[in-house]
């Protein structure tokens, strides 16, 4: 981005930024909510973090890729595990998180709440 020998650094952080659903841009284009990363004393890259709702969609897509099939095609036990992982990652703190997850899993909101309650009871 700045071309001052920071390419290895940018290459190193890109998978993390991609996994978060963020966007990399030149540091001089950073906005007030962006995070500027410095490498060897020089601003190397700015990272624009996604909105929380976008992050949830990104997380769900990544989970689908990892499973190798749509989350709605998983069995009940696997769906419960997905809900446990998502809860640990804060997915249900996002507005409409339960509805978004329910849609991705092909279940009702009530079912997602049951999975969450089952996890708390065990």
């Amino acid at each position: 981005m700045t071309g001052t020998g920071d390419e290895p650094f940018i290459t190193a952080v890109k998978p993390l930024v991609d996994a978060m659903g963020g966007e990399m841009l030149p540091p001089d284009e950073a906005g007030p909510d962006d995070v500027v990363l410095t490498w060897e004393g020089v601003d190397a890259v700015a990272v624009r973090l996604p909105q929380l709702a976008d992050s949830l969609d990104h997380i769900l897509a990544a989970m689908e890729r990892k499973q190798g099939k749509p989350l709605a095609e998983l069995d009940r036990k696997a769906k419960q595990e997905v809900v446990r992982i998502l809860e640990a990652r804060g997915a249900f703190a996002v507005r409409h998180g339960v509805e978004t997850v329910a849609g991705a899993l092909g279940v009702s909101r009530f079912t997602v709440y049951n999975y969450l309650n089952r996890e708390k009871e065990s």
Side-chain angles (χ1 to χ4, degrees), residues 24-52:
M24 297 173 77
L25 47 131
D28 60 349
E29 294 180 20
D33 294 329
D34 297 332
V35 178
V36 177
L37 303 177
T38 302
W39 179 249
E40 297 181 344
V42 178
D43 290 347
V45 64
V47 177
R48 181 159 294 152
L49 299 173
Q51 298 300 311
L52 284 175

Side-chain angles (χ1 to χ4, degrees), residues 1-12 27 39-40 42-45:
M1 304 241 142
T2 62
T4 59
D6 54 17
E7 289 83 5
F9 175 73
I10 293 170
T11 300
W39 179 249
E40 297 181 344
V42 178
D43 290 347
V45 64

Side-chain angles (χ1 to χ4, degrees), residues 24-119:
M24 297 173 77
L25 47 131
D28 60 349
E29 294 180 20
D33 294 329
D34 297 332
V35 178
V36 177
L37 303 177
T38 302
W39 179 249
E40 297 181 344
V42 178
D43 290 347
V45 64
V47 177
R48 181 159 294 152
L49 299 173
Q51 298 300 311
L52 284 175
D54 295 339
S55 292
L56 180 53
D57 290 338
H58 194 78
I59 291 167
L60 288 167
M63 292 183 92
E64 258 186 12
R65 284 192 303 276
K66 186 176 181 182
Q67 294 290 333
K69 60 182 171 182
L71 297 177
E73 293 179 9
L74 299 175
D75 64 26
R76 182 174 49 85
K77 187 168 179 67
K79 288 180 182 181
Q80 289 172 337
E81 178 66 9
V82 166
V83 168
R84 186 192 65 73
I85 291 166
L86 291 171
E87 182 179 30
R89 294 185 73 178
F92 302 109
V94 175
R95 188 168 186 222
H96 303 297
V98 170
E99 292 85 347
T100 301
V101 170
L105 293 175
V107 299
S108 69
R109 289 182 340 195
F110 179 76
T111 298
V112 172
Y113 284 118
N114 278 340
Y115 291 169
L116 288 167
N117 288 334
R118 176 181 302 259
E119 183 64 28

